Amino acid sequence: MAGDVLRDEEIAAALGRQPGWQQTGAALRRIYEFADFHEAMKFVHRVSDVAEALGHIPRIEVKGARVTLTVTTDEEGGLTRRDLELIRRIDR
Amino acid sequence: MAGDVLRDEEIAAALGRQPGWQQTGAALRRIYEFADFHEAMKFVHRVSDVAEALGHIPRIEVKGARVTLTVTTDEEGGLTRRDLELIRRIDR
């Protein structure tokens, strides 16, 4: 539903409240650094629980103690409220 | 320790016993497809347990139901026995 795609101002306002997240095209990305791989995986487990509960799944990359999350709603052709809701819940 | 770097024949022989793994430069990569994100994350949890036990961590990427593992020993300048041991344990 194209009507769900956010305008640039809406995205900018939301990202102002979500430090660490950057917009790259139609995706939001944040890199998290943890003390070690074990702590990184604990975070990944929490993220996967949040994502499953919301029914909206980020792309997850784990490289050692570093986790990169990429959030996008590919099929909508742009960022939507679901993307913002997911990053809010992840960082809550 | 450069002496630990495997020769191409050793890698080829090992990969012959580990279907699904491909060599890309000094890395081994396998893509796993699961029924859904939940099953993919169960696999990721198992992989992280195996990796922590071995003390050798693969790079993990999760995109929906697809998990990509990349195994490499960057600091050695080539693939080593630890890389092969990790993929053996993951697929056991």
Side-chain angles (χ1 to χ4, degrees):
Chain A
M1 295 175 287
D4 287 342
V5 173
L6 297 172
R7 286 174 292 116
D8 288 346
E9 311 88 83
E10 293 176 290
I11 297 166
L15 292 187
R17 297 185 294 271
Q18 299 287 144
W21 288 91
Q22 306 260 322
Q23 186 180 1
T24 320
L28 302 176
R29 179 164 293 149
R30 181 168 176 184
I31 298 172
Y32 299 81
E33 297 273 0
F34 296 92
D36 54 30
F37 176 72
H38 189 77
E39 292 300 315
M41 288 307 302
K42 278 165 59 177
F43 172 70
V44 166
H45 298 181
R46 285 198 303 274
V47 167
S48 68
D49 287 345
V50 166
E52 284 199 78
L54 185 63
H56 189 37
I57 311 291
R59 180 168 171 175
I60 302 168
E61 294 175 67
V62 188
K63 188 175 182 185
R66 173 184 294 184
V67 179
T68 304
L69 299 183
T70 307
V71 172
T72 189
T73 313
D74 291 320
E75 65 272 24
E76 304 289 345
L79 290 164
T80 70
R81 284 182 210 296
R82 295 181 77 210
D83 298 309
L84 298 182
E85 179 62 21
L86 179 58
I87 72 172
R88 265 196 296 270
R89 293 195 191 188
I90 287 171
D91 285 346
R92 194 177 291 163
Chain B
M1 294 174 285
D4 287 342
V5 173
L6 297 173
R7 286 173 292 117
D8 288 346
E9 311 88 83
E10 292 176 290
I11 297 165
L15 292 188
R17 297 185 293 270
Q18 298 287 144
W21 288 89
Q22 306 260 321
Q23 185 180 1
T24 320
L28 301 176
R29 180 163 294 148
R30 182 169 176 183
I31 297 171
Y32 299 80
E33 298 274 2
F34 296 92
D36 53 32
F37 177 72
H38 189 77
E39 292 300 315
M41 288 308 300
K42 278 165 58 176
F43 172 71
V44 166
H45 299 181
R46 285 199 303 275
V47 167
S48 68
D49 287 345
V50 166
E52 284 199 77
L54 185 62
H56 190 37
I57 310 291
R59 179 166 173 177
I60 302 168
E61 295 175 68
V62 188
K63 187 174 183 185
R66 174 185 293 184
V67 178
T68 304
L69 299 182
T70 307
V71 171
T72 187
T73 312
D74 292 320
E75 63 272 24
E76 303 288 346
L79 291 165
T80 70
R81 282 183 210 295
R82 294 181 76 210
D83 298 308
L84 298 182
E85 180 61 22
L86 179 57
I87 72 171
R88 264 195 297 269
R89 291 196 192 188
I90 286 170
D91 285 344
R92 193 178 290 162

Short mmCIF file of all heavy atoms in Angstrom, two decimals, chain B residues 7-18 84:
data_model
loop_
_atom_site.label_atom_id
_atom_site.label_comp_id
_atom_site.label_asym_id
_atom_site.label_seq_id
_atom_site.Cartn_x
_atom_site.Cartn_y
_atom_site.Cartn_z
N ARG B 7 46.68 -26.08 2.30
CA ARG B 7 46.91 -26.08 0.86
C ARG B 7 45.57 -26.29 0.14
O ARG B 7 44.62 -26.83 0.72
CB ARG B 7 47.89 -27.20 0.49
CG ARG B 7 49.34 -26.89 0.89
CD ARG B 7 50.27 -28.07 0.68
NE ARG B 7 49.96 -29.17 1.59
CZ ARG B 7 49.55 -30.38 1.23
NH1 ARG B 7 49.41 -30.69 -0.06
NH2 ARG B 7 49.28 -31.31 2.12
N ASP B 8 45.51 -25.86 -1.12
CA ASP B 8 44.27 -25.94 -1.89
C ASP B 8 43.72 -27.37 -1.93
O ASP B 8 42.50 -27.58 -1.86
CB ASP B 8 44.50 -25.45 -3.33
CG ASP B 8 44.69 -23.93 -3.38
OD1 ASP B 8 44.38 -23.25 -2.38
OD2 ASP B 8 45.15 -23.43 -4.42
N GLU B 9 44.63 -28.35 -2.03
CA GLU B 9 44.16 -29.74 -2.13
C GLU B 9 43.48 -30.17 -0.84
O GLU B 9 42.51 -30.92 -0.85
CB GLU B 9 45.33 -30.70 -2.40
CG GLU B 9 46.24 -30.30 -3.54
CD GLU B 9 47.36 -29.38 -3.06
OE1 GLU B 9 48.37 -29.88 -2.55
OE2 GLU B 9 47.18 -28.15 -3.21
N GLU B 10 44.02 -29.70 0.29
CA GLU B 10 43.43 -30.06 1.57
C GLU B 10 42.02 -29.47 1.70
O GLU B 10 41.10 -30.10 2.20
CB GLU B 10 44.30 -29.54 2.72
CG GLU B 10 45.65 -30.22 2.84
CD GLU B 10 46.52 -29.58 3.93
OE1 GLU B 10 46.98 -28.42 3.73
OE2 GLU B 10 46.73 -30.24 4.96
N ILE B 11 41.89 -28.22 1.24
CA ILE B 11 40.58 -27.56 1.30
C ILE B 11 39.59 -28.28 0.39
O ILE B 11 38.46 -28.58 0.79
CB ILE B 11 40.70 -26.08 0.89
CG1 ILE B 11 41.61 -25.34 1.89
CG2 ILE B 11 39.33 -25.42 0.82
CD1 ILE B 11 42.09 -23.99 1.40
N ALA B 12 40.03 -28.58 -0.83
CA ALA B 12 39.13 -29.25 -1.79
C ALA B 12 38.67 -30.59 -1.24
O ALA B 12 37.49 -30.95 -1.35
CB ALA B 12 39.85 -29.43 -3.14
N ALA B 13 39.58 -31.34 -0.63
CA ALA B 13 39.23 -32.65 -0.08
C ALA B 13 38.20 -32.50 1.04
O ALA B 13 37.21 -33.24 1.12
CB ALA B 13 40.49 -33.36 0.44
N ALA B 14 38.41 -31.49 1.90
CA ALA B 14 37.49 -31.28 3.02
C ALA B 14 36.12 -30.85 2.52
O ALA B 14 35.09 -31.33 3.01
CB ALA B 14 38.06 -30.24 3.97
N LEU B 15 36.09 -29.98 1.52
CA LEU B 15 34.80 -29.50 1.02
C LEU B 15 34.03 -30.61 0.32
O LEU B 15 32.80 -30.60 0.28
CB LEU B 15 34.98 -28.29 0.10
CG LEU B 15 35.48 -27.02 0.79
CD1 LEU B 15 35.45 -25.85 -0.20
CD2 LEU B 15 34.67 -26.68 2.03
N GLY B 16 34.75 -31.58 -0.21
CA GLY B 16 34.09 -32.74 -0.81
C GLY B 16 33.26 -33.52 0.21
O GLY B 16 32.31 -34.21 -0.15
N ARG B 17 33.63 -33.38 1.48
CA ARG B 17 32.87 -34.06 2.55
C ARG B 17 31.87 -33.15 3.22
O ARG B 17 31.17 -33.56 4.15
CB ARG B 17 33.85 -34.59 3.61
CG ARG B 17 34.84 -35.64 3.11
CD ARG B 17 35.69 -36.22 4.24
NE ARG B 17 36.61 -35.25 4.80
CZ ARG B 17 37.86 -35.03 4.37
NH1 ARG B 17 38.34 -35.71 3.34
NH2 ARG B 17 38.63 -34.13 4.97
N GLN B 18 31.79 -31.88 2.79
CA GLN B 18 30.89 -30.89 3.43
C GLN B 18 30.01 -30.24 2.37
O GLN B 18 30.23 -29.10 1.98
CB GLN B 18 31.73 -29.81 4.12
CG GLN B 18 32.62 -30.30 5.23
CD GLN B 18 31.89 -30.67 6.49
OE1 GLN B 18 32.26 -31.60 7.18
NE2 GLN B 18 30.82 -29.94 6.78
N LEU B 84 37.91 -25.53 9.05
CA LEU B 84 37.29 -26.81 8.67
C LEU B 84 36.62 -27.47 9.87
O LEU B 84 35.53 -28.06 9.75
CB LEU B 84 38.34 -27.74 8.06
CG LEU B 84 38.99 -27.25 6.77
CD1 LEU B 84 39.97 -28.30 6.25
CD2 LEU B 84 37.95 -26.92 5.71
#
